Amino acid sequence: MSDLVTFGETMLRLSPPDERRLEDADEFEVLAGGAESNVAIAAQRLGMPATWLSKVPESPLGRRVVSELRGYGIDTDVVWSHRGRQGTYYLERAGTPRGTKVIYDRDDTAFATAEAREFDVDRVQNARVFFTTGITPALSSTLRDTTASMLKAARQGGTTTAFDFNYRRKLWSPEEAEETLTKLFPGIDVLVIAARDARSVLGFEGDPRQLAHKLGSQYEFETVVVTRGSEGAIGWHDSVVHEQGAYETDTVSKIGTGDAFTGAFIARRVSGDDVPTALEYAAATAALKRTIPGDVALVSEEEVEAVVSSGGEELSR
Amino acid sequence: MSDLVTFGETMLRLSPPDERRLEDADEFEVLAGGAESNVAIAAQRLGMPATWLSKVPESPLGRRVVSELRGYGIDTDVVWSHRGRQGTYYLERAGTPRGTKVIYDRDDTAFATAEAREFDVDRVQNARVFFTTGITPALSSTLRDTTASMLKAARQGGTTTAFDFNYRRKLWSPEEAEETLTKLFPGIDVLVIAARDARSVLGFEGDPRQLAHKLGSQYEFETVVVTRGSEGAIGWHDSVVHEQGAYETDTVSKIGTGDAFTGAFIARRVSGDDVPTALEYAAATAALKRTIPGDVALVSEEEVEAVVSSGGEELSR
Amino acid sequence: MSDLVTFGETMLRLSPPDERRLEDADEFEVLAGGAESNVAIAAQRLGMPATWLSKVPESPLGRRVVSELRGYGIDTDVVWSHRGRQGTYYLERAGTPRGTKVIYDRDDTAFATAEAREFDVDRVQNARVFFTTGITPALSSTLRDTTASMLKAARQGGTTTAFDFNYRRKLWSPEEAEETLTKLFPGIDVLVIAARDARSVLGFEGDPRQLAHKLGSQYEFETVVVTRGSEGAIGWHDSVVHEQGAYETDTVSKIGTGDAFTGAFIARRVSGDDVPTALEYAAATAALKRTIPGDVALVSEEEVEAVVSSGGEELSR
Amino acid sequence: MSDLVTFGETMLRLSPPDERRLEDADEFEVLAGGAESNVAIAAQRLGMPATWLSKVPESPLGRRVVSELRGYGIDTDVVWSHRGRQGTYYLERAGTPRGTKVIYDRDDTAFATAEAREFDVDRVQNARVFFTTGITPALSSTLRDTTASMLKAARQGGTTTAFDFNYRRKLWSPEEAEETLTKLFPGIDVLVIAARDARSVLGFEGDPRQLAHKLGSQYEFETVVVTRGSEGAIGWHDSVVHEQGAYETDTVSKIGTGDAFTGAFIARRVSGDDVPTALEYAAATAALKRTIPGDVALVSEEEVEAVVSSGGEELSR
Amino acid sequence: MSDLVTFGETMLRLSPPDERRLEDADEFEVLAGGAESNVAIAAQRLGMPATWLSKVPESPLGRRVVSELRGYGIDTDVVWSHRGRQGTYYLERAGTPRGTKVIYDRDDTAFATAEAREFDVDRVQNARVFFTTGITPALSSTLRDTTASMLKAARQGGTTTAFDFNYRRKLWSPEEAEETLTKLFPGIDVLVIAARDARSVLGFEGDPRQLAHKLGSQYEFETVVVTRGSEGAIGWHDSVVHEQGAYETDTVSKIGTGDAFTGAFIARRVSGDDVPTALEYAAATAALKRTIPGDVALVSEEEVEAVVSSGGEELSR
Amino acid sequence: MSDLVTFGETMLRLSPPDERRLEDADEFEVLAGGAESNVAIAAQRLGMPATWLSKVPESPLGRRVVSELRGYGIDTDVVWSHRGRQGTYYLERAGTPRGTKVIYDRDDTAFATAEAREFDVDRVQNARVFFTTGITPALSSTLRDTTASMLKAARQGGTTTAFDFNYRRKLWSPEEAEETLTKLFPGIDVLVIAARDARSVLGFEGDPRQLAHKLGSQYEFETVVVTRGSEGAIGWHDSVVHEQGAYETDTVSKIGTGDAFTGAFIARRVSGDDVPTALEYAAATAALKRTIPGDVALVSEEEVEAVVSSGGEELSR
């Protein structure tokens, strides 16, 4: 049985090479991309056996996604569906001022029809941590119920629940997100949230330390992590606020940085680290992720430890 | 104004390199693929100015498709839509016994919502030939009406109507196809149909010569072309049947062979060739197409003539 | 009829991948590259229908160039020639201190024989703007006459004439360039010129504002734009000087930045913008261009507007 | 617990693109290649849960191999070693008369040190079938003992033992192979052997039917399969000989054909098929394999059934 | 000092991947291609030290060509020129009926200006064989003189002269070729000529055996080799005619087959083989060449011997 | 005869594209990589004829390495061995904090068995400079003797001996390196050493100027060059210390920077430059190298001179 079970959709990610434009593309790089599987992989890499739970079309495209995730070392426990599409998205990379763009093509997916009763509740209840994100309930009304049911089942089984707020403006409005996600908050032990989402979706104000404290107090979370991109993160736990900076990186791909952070944080917390130490490992994992193409933190525990102990200097060859 | 106007959907075609499996793909080749645009390109290459009419999402993916078609030299006259997906399909190439496989992902497209009133009727009525295929009405009930309306408008404008039966079993059942398409027959002057579709969808029997004759007589077409793959084609016109063999080829890509044949046949007929001569040029164009990667007949008129006059020997360097 | 007609040579551009050396190259990326077609494309992207006029060999290489340009959305109106080569150039990319290198292989081209009488004068006289650059008359003595004739025809037809000085030291000496190009100045309404060319070829002195003013006054241009690379540009019009900075960019390819700037400037001026506003859009278009591989500004009007209104911040995904 | 456990070395396979020569290669395609993992994958694809047992260096190269195998869907149960190399081989593809060439670089590997006590004997004893090949004992004297021990343990646990003779002349002489492998025969239930190996290594004579019968009788195997490349295979069981032809294929890669055959045969036998039926599915799986690039039978059970039921015709799209 | 000295132009060969059309190409594969360097390489591979003599522009493109040839193992002795282009050609591969096409872009090259006095006559006179082809004098009037001078110098130095007729219709008419090349015949010891050139350019009639005999007798060659493509070759020597078949091959690239044949024939003759044996090795080298991408016979002497001794069966792995 | 002879191992270098991880690689770029051949190439590029001496397996892999080096323009004089592997290494590129990683797979190579008597001592004694590095004696005890013998032979022949200390911690401990290499010092005229190696392996202290002086005085070298990465280098000669800064670069590949520096320094010293001038050219060559992918300084003498005379500004196109 895995220590961590995550639940979510992983899409086929199609992207032109380098910074080529979609409208001018002759080929697409094909990868699997999804926040919840990214978190599972990062945790597994830091030594926490992890399983990704999902519903996937029984098709070459569905198998393509699952095959890649298995190759990264996690367990995959999927409901194979004979109805519904495989979600895809198109990614166009660019720097300032163009900016990286994402086009979702994820309507009518198999995953959007996933109901809690299709999954083995024991998987969730025997895990130490259950994790999903705010993307999941944004995908369909069915998934709003499913998310709520699974968080409830986890809580009943004594499994810690962790949740990344992950607001996506291409999926729903801030108002819809707020209404849906705050309803889930009572069932969540550990909340990860970007400072900008706390402000623009939940309407909190103040500096990130204040945001963390207000969120933690108001909703009685066990732990709150407020992420701030290149400025690091804040951890709130037992009413104490801990600050963690971000390491310098030669960034190759930003995508998946937050998921690497979250997966590592969960793994280290479960292995017994206190919050400041877990934040440090999370920041180191995130930094390593940024040097790796693709969305996934293909790191080793030794590398993460080396970054922490060297304070982020380039590891020698 | 173009001499040929074609109407249909052109999809984004995604395919792994060589014979790699979709479930194992790390990259996709990206091309535009659609029967009606293929026919327009083949006709244009043989000297008949051609326009492709369609409805396409106003998105990088939609622009990607239109840009490729323009590059092939035809005119594109598209309604840009702010709703609906860009149709895509996944192509997995393979030989015997695996066989090439196609996965359509073309539900809820912008094109499926195309109505006749969105297009400029003058475009159709000022052309010499209007062409579409049995794929178009298979895509939505809206498109069944649209197809009927456009054929009607063409007829009213004195434009010759040409139609490729093109039955696709992944889109509808033989029964649905038969019911829908035979209703369109009275508005069609030139019918192109594969012998196997005439048998399995329309229930005709007999050898291809008989099929052509029965079809032509029963539905009062002006011209019927029955295609037989590597065995060539039959042309029926004025109650006379003409037989055309297929040229030997070193085949690189079969896809689009039929469209190359049809486009060339139309172009040569309009330029004044009799049916047997037009069939010969059509067969030569189809043969050249098979030596070219992708779906499109990127040939020149000189090459086609050289094949016809050499009887299909390899052109010298 | 197009609002903008540009006239010039577009070469086949061959370049090794990344920063590989030509002498070590195993493959070349193939693109079409030419200042006048780049300007047409940039203008078209900003909403100004544009046509590129040229003379091209009737060969697969000539068709290759025309096909790519059509794919970018502009109209191409070319004289197909049975004599003369397709111009090519080899591009080797490199940073400091090696520097990007260009090897021209553009002698004896079809374009070098282009005479004014081969083109439809109505195309030019019915356009709102006619554009060419200082590269064109540098290519052959025939083209010096042709350039003069076409500028004259444009002026006679009431078409605004725009000209990018574009001195190329691999084509001719500063003295030849000065003598030839200043003779064309009386026929030009809008001059675009790099500050360094104004100094080293035309012998002007002073800061860019002074350069613009001296040029404008001395030759009685309607408008002068002096470009300064990463330091922005100066616009002179009605004896008033306007200064425009350059936006910060994550640069992927510098080539074509000036052409993007010029094309956008022309398009916005024609659409009614005053000089400062047109300069602002031109700078935004140039900034977006630098994030895009290749020579061409594959931007949308919305993107340009977003850069202008955000002041150049990275556009969100 | 898996129904099939296989034991062997899987190498990193490095090959130039297409038919390029090694001495002229600028890039290598990277794949994992090994007979025992190939067999596990083929069996898993036909519905038999399979595990690959091995010893692998704890290095990025070792992880590379394991990651690929996991992605194909089998379980991997490996001893991670801090000593010994990752075996590699270089593959140069070519047709007649050059012929495909293999250069092994597999001395001093981690796998060569694998001892039986390092593996969990329960894994083997709880499986329904244990499988290895004649390559394994050819790799080191340690592995000769290990192979014998594991076959013995399997037998003791009531697990069926299957063995592919797989003589490799680059690893040892026919005399060494004969001496070593015939000693293992008493512990083997199902032997797969190429007709040419039966002749040139074991010195048997006669046609393949006779070879199968002599082998089966002399060594008291439960089942013998004699493979004959493009001429099919012979199955001997209960003193009855069954003949199976090979399907026609458009071959893309021959490598792994035998492993696909063997894996499918084992899976079908265990699922209850009689020998002739299992041979038919084995032949169909082998035929599909030949249409797939790489060494691995990335097939589905449905596809194999379709080939069997259609008699090997190209599956329609 | 090399035993073989060849003299000729080697071009930069640019070709789209696979069978893609030039007009649709996004990238070109870059190789060096020239008959005389191909012959030198084939001879060197069969153990005869060889030097390629040429005149090349001092530019990255010229260095590119020389670097590739050196990498193949021959010596290069080139005059570096500061004037003249690097010859290039575009190659579009295709099967029946399209056929492979070549577009030469080799006017005004550095090589076309090569004069005999620019080369070290000792190089030629100290070699055992001097070789050039009918392409060289076709390139410029200067080269006609140069070819004659070098053949004369070779003869004076006691060096055997070998010559491949190699008629290229894109360079000159049959009449020009006949007039020029027959003038060179008295200075040539060994003539290689395609049967079709002997017929269509020189006007000989009869079967290949007769062609060889008539040519040899009329022009008093020491040896004549008449090549017949896939039907093999005829050797004529001392008034005796020897016939050599062609080996079966899985052909990957036909280009350079004749050069491989000629280079091997020369090398084996010089090493003491009689004509029939040399023809056999030549045919084996040609067969191996056809399994290798590109123009060059990257074979080893062992491989050639293995083909000869096995009679052309696929070499085992 | 070459002016410079270098002796060392050149490995096959296998690296995933861009910053991809080895454990996730689908393809490897293949290059030849070795310090001593790099130095030979850099010297040759600056006008000093150079030969690389080595022992290489007679295999496609060995030929692959030699072929690439010949293509770069140097002479290769290798002992072809029928025993021993071709050394390889895997390179994984990454920026901060991951850092570029190297995995050596160079045990049991052909080169490790190279003895002095296998090489032609005249080659070394007729050269002006003999060069090897501290990597060579680290590879086997045989090579320790061979290195000593060759340095001795060079000294006896009046050939200047140059040596790059090049400590590699993956090959031996600092203690072993110190003991072995300092024994070679009396036979060395010109020592190149990184400041960090002088400190951590040899135990010297002080700033780089002091290191150079102490090393030079203590071991009586003729010349010492202390390299300091991006901070430049120190040259010590005739008891005078010269300081040279590093040029600014847009770095594409750092690997081989030191070798480019050393090769250029040797070439310029031999051509008569004083130490400060040679250091300046060395720094310019190193700067150009960093703009070039791969390990090798594919520069021209003109480019190096242009960098020196421009003080390192980007060379104009």
Side-chain angles (χ1 to χ4, degrees), chain D residues 21 23 96-98 100, chain E residues 45 250 291 298 303 315 317:
Chain D
R21 300 227 70 165
E23 72 168 277
T96 302
R98 179 154 57 108
T100 290
Chain E
R45 294 273 160 165
D250 291 326
T291 68
L298 291 178
E303 288 172 324
L315 305 178
R317 62 169 151 135

Side-chain angles (χ1 to χ4, degrees), chain F residues 178-200:
Chain F
E178 181 188 22
E179 195 195 326
T180 303
L181 298 182
T182 54
K183 277 190 199 140
L184 299 174
F185 280 3
I188 292 168
D189 299 314
V190 179
L191 179 76
V192 180
I193 186 166
R196 68 167 183 276
D197 290 348
R199 288 192 187 99
S200 63

Side-chain angles (χ1 to χ4, degrees), chain E residues 2-29:
Chain E
S2 289
D3 286 345
L4 172 65
V5 169
T6 77
F7 174 68
E9 182 178 29
T10 297
M11 292 177 286
L12 212 56
R13 173 187 129 174
L14 306 177
S15 49
D18 307 320
E19 281 86 2
R20 294 256 323 244
R21 300 226 71 165
L22 277 169
E23 72 169 274
D24 190 41
D26 290 322
E27 70 180 48
F28 290 152
E29 177 192 21

Side-chain angles (χ1 to χ4, degrees), chain C residues 46-216:
Chain C
L46 271 88
M48 183 183 198
T51 293
W52 170 74
L53 234 61
S54 196
K55 186 171 181 181
V56 169
E58 168 51 55
S59 77
L61 304 180
R63 288 197 295 273
R64 169 66 185 73
V65 166
V66 174
S67 164
E68 180 176 331
L69 297 182
R70 287 203 86 220
Y72 294 139
I74 56 170
D75 275 324
T76 56
D77 184 5
V78 305
V79 176
W80 293 101
S81 169
H82 287 277
R83 293 183 39 222
R85 302 172 55 239
Q86 167 62 42
T88 60
Y89 76 104
Y90 298 87
L91 178 84
E92 186 183 280
R93 283 176 278 247
T96 302
R98 180 156 54 110
T100 290
K101 282 201 185 55
V102 161
I103 299 182
Y104 285 138
D105 190 5
R106 66 195 299 186
D107 286 343
D108 302 315
T109 58
F111 184 68
T113 69
E115 298 181 40
R117 61 174 177 74
E118 298 182 276
F119 299 93
D120 180 4
V121 74
D122 285 353
R123 274 279 192 180
V124 172
Q125 294 186 332
N126 290 335
R128 300 186 61 182
V129 181
F130 172 75
F131 173 83
T132 189
T133 76
I135 297 168
T136 304
L139 296 174
S140 71
S141 58
T142 300
L143 282 168
R144 290 179 205 192
D145 295 343
T146 308
T147 307
S149 300
M150 293 183 84
L151 285 169
K152 194 171 164 190
R155 176 68 58 92
Q156 285 170 345
T159 301
T160 298
T161 55
F163 192 87
D164 188 338
F165 193 82
N166 251 344
Y167 172 66
R168 290 286 185 267
R169 68 179 176 79
K170 297 204 168 171
L171 295 177
W172 53 0
S173 68
E175 292 73 28
E176 287 175 293
E178 183 190 18
E179 194 196 325
T180 303
L181 298 182
T182 53
K183 278 192 199 138
L184 300 174
F185 280 3
I188 292 168
D189 299 315
V190 179
L191 179 77
V192 181
I193 186 166
R196 68 164 183 280
D197 290 347
R199 289 195 186 99
S200 63
V201 181
L202 297 183
F204 282 85
E205 292 179 351
D207 68 31
R209 300 177 68 99
Q210 292 169 323
L211 292 177
H213 187 68
K214 286 181 191 170
L215 270 161

Side-chain angles (χ1 to χ4, degrees), chain B residues 133-200:
Chain B
T133 77
I135 297 166
T136 304
L139 297 175
S140 70
S141 58
T142 300
L143 283 168
R144 290 177 205 193
D145 295 342
T146 307
T147 307
S149 300
M150 293 183 84
L151 286 169
K152 193 172 166 192
R155 177 66 59 91
Q156 286 170 343
T159 301
T160 299
T161 54
F163 191 89
D164 188 339
F165 194 82
N166 251 346
Y167 173 66
R168 291 284 183 270
R169 69 178 175 80
K170 296 205 169 170
L171 296 177
W172 53 359
S173 70
E175 294 70 30
E176 287 174 293
E178 183 190 19
E179 195 196 325
T180 303
L181 297 181
T182 53
K183 277 192 199 140
L184 299 174
F185 280 3
I188 292 169
D189 299 313
V190 179
L191 179 77
V192 181
I193 185 167
R196 71 166 181 275
D197 289 348
R199 291 194 186 98
S200 63

